[in-house]
């Protein structure tokens, strides 16, 4: 009898797409027995575990299709290496109020200070909290939009950049854009305005965006929408990429000094 019932529970669980329950029924029952669980407690355990497993699967899938270059977190970020950066500003963003408010954040500074790291960490946190996310560099987005436009698919490609709750727009300003390219960026920014968040990184000050977008009026129109609701975080410090190399160079210089002195 009980074998019949467990077989039926497994089959029903599979049909209801509760694979964790289907696969772990015996384990669940053993734990319920061992802990002498009541009905409510048991049902709670089964539902909680199923939900946790589904959440993990959703997050893994969302991260895979988000094109994030890595999945580093803010815990991986060493704030002591950037004393000019106020950790509270970043931690406030990590509350994800920005995603709820559909407002933006701009991380500005020279190469290697962790702009992409922080933007990705915030996006990954947003993903865990249930927001949809997507990563692109500005240049790649422009290339994709132009290619789509050339075959009459601009609108659908544009949606890929407009739809996600949180878009990481990395490396704004690395290459100057032609006018038609800048126009595509303007379209994207306008469509997202007050509809979704952008986390952008740039090595250029906003005052240089006229050169980046090849047109002061267009750059002003882009900045107007972008900055209306935007947390601006400037990181002006040493490159973390050079951290180990610089200390290695310092160490070998020291060794050379010691050798010379000896
Ligand atoms: P940026 O986008 O500003 O050029 P990245 O975010 O790509 O810099 O950082 C370069 C590398 O150094 C990455 O591997 C990043 O994880 C790491 N990194 C940068 N800053 C820090 C930091 N303060 N603590 C830990 N790792 C860092
Ligand atoms: Mg970067």
């Amino acid at each position: 009898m009980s074998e019949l019932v467990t077989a039926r529970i497994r089959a029903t669980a599979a049909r209801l797409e509760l694979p964790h329950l289907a696969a772990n029924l015996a384990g669940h029952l053993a734990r319920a027995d061992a802990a002498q669980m009541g009905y409510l407690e048991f049902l709670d355990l089964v539902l909680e575990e199923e939900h946790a497993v589904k959440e993990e699967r959703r997050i893994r899938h969302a991260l895979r299709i988000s094109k994030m270059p890595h999945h580093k977190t803010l815990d991986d970020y060493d704030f002591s290496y950037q004393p000019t950066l106020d950790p509270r500003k970043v931690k406030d963003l990590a509350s994800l109020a920005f995603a709820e408010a559909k407002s933006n954040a701009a991380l500005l500074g020279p190469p290697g200070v962790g702009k992409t790291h922080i933007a990705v960490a915030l996006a990954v946190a947003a993903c865990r909290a249930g927001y949809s996310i997507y990563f692109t560099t500005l240049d790649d987005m422009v290339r994709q939009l132009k290619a789509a436009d050339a075959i009459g698919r601009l609108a659908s490609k544009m949606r890929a950049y407009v739809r996600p709750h949180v878009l990481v727009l990395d490396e704004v300003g690395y290459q100057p854009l032609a006018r038609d390219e800048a126009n595509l960026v303007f379209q994207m920014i306008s469509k997202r305005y007050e509809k979704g968040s952008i986390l952008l990184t740039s090595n250029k000050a906003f005052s240089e965006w006229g050169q980046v977008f090849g047109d002061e009026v267009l750059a002003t129109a882009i900045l107007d929408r972008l900055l209306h609701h935007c947390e601006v975080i400037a990181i002006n410090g040493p490159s973390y990429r050079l951290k180990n190399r610089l200390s290695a160079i310092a160490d070998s210089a020291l060794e050379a000094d010691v050798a010379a002195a000896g």
Side-chain angles (χ1 to χ4, degrees):
M1 170 66 187
S2 98
E3 260 177 46
L4 235 160
V5 175
T6 54
R8 198 167 61 216
I9 291 175
R10 278 201 196 91
T12 310
R15 243 181 280 140
L16 286 170
E17 293 182 30
L18 304 171
H20 183 69
L21 173 57
N24 294 282
L25 185 55
H28 283 338
L29 290 173
R31 279 166 64 191
D33 261 346
Q36 296 191 310
M37 282 183 198
Y39 299 119
L40 282 178
E41 227 182 323
F42 182 60
L43 199 52
D44 187 39
L45 165 92
V46 169
L47 292 178
E48 277 288 324
E49 282 208 4
E50 196 65 45
H51 181 247
V53 169
K54 275 187 188 271
E55 263 298 281
E56 265 318 305
R57 194 155 11 107
R58 175 191 69 77
I59 291 164
R60 235 183 303 127
H61 175 72
L63 289 180
R64 195 165 52 235
I65 62 171
S66 71
K67 304 238 177 80
M68 295 290 148
H70 51 69
H71 303 146
K72 290 186 184 176
T73 68
L74 288 181
D75 288 336
D76 304 321
Y77 189 83
D78 179 4
F79 283 93
S80 71
Y81 194 70
Q82 296 296 348
T84 66
L85 171 61
D86 183 352
R88 282 174 302 183
K89 275 190 141 187
V90 178
K91 286 176 184 161
D92 279 349
L93 286 172
S95 75
L96 303 179
F98 79 90
E100 195 52 39
K102 298 163 181 177
S103 64
N104 305 323
L107 295 146
L108 309 180
V113 294
K115 302 182 297 298
T116 303
H117 182 136
I118 292 173
V120 167
L122 292 170
V124 170
C127 174
R128 294 201 155 270
Y131 295 99
S132 55
I133 60 170
Y134 196 66
F135 177 98
T136 181
T137 63
L138 180 79
D139 293 341
D140 194 47
M141 181 184 77
V142 165
R143 217 175 305 125
Q144 298 282 341
L145 289 174
K146 274 170 80 176
D149 195 17
I151 55 168
R153 292 265 172 99
L154 179 60
S156 84
K157 189 48 105 182
M158 190 62 92
R159 272 197 293 280
Y161 298 103
V162 173
R163 204 186 305 117
H165 293 122
V166 176
L167 177 74
V168 177
L169 189 59
D170 201 27
E171 301 191 346
V172 175
Y174 278 66
Q175 309 263 9
L177 300 182
R179 205 196 153 77
D180 61 321
E181 297 173 333
N183 237 315
L184 291 170
V185 178
F186 173 70
Q187 281 185 49
M188 189 283 285
I189 301 278
S190 303
K191 284 190 200 296
R192 284 194 72 87
Y193 176 63
E194 295 188 335
K195 298 224 173 65
S197 300
I198 296 177
L199 300 173
L200 80 87
T201 80
S202 180
N203 61 341
K204 294 280 196 305
F206 294 131
S207 57
E208 297 170 282
W209 280 33
Q211 286 148 41
V212 171
F213 292 98
D215 181 316
E216 288 294 342
V217 175
L218 200 53
T220 306
I222 290 173
L223 283 171
D224 181 58
R225 283 153 185 79
L226 207 53
L227 298 183
H228 184 195
H229 313 284
C230 188
E231 182 69 48
V232 179
I233 297 184
I235 313 175
N236 290 304
S239 167
Y240 196 84
R241 289 199 189 92
L242 298 178
K243 178 179 177 253
N244 293 326
R245 253 182 283 163
L246 289 181
S247 58
I249 291 167
D251 285 350
S252 63
L254 191 68
E255 276 163 31
D257 284 351
V258 170

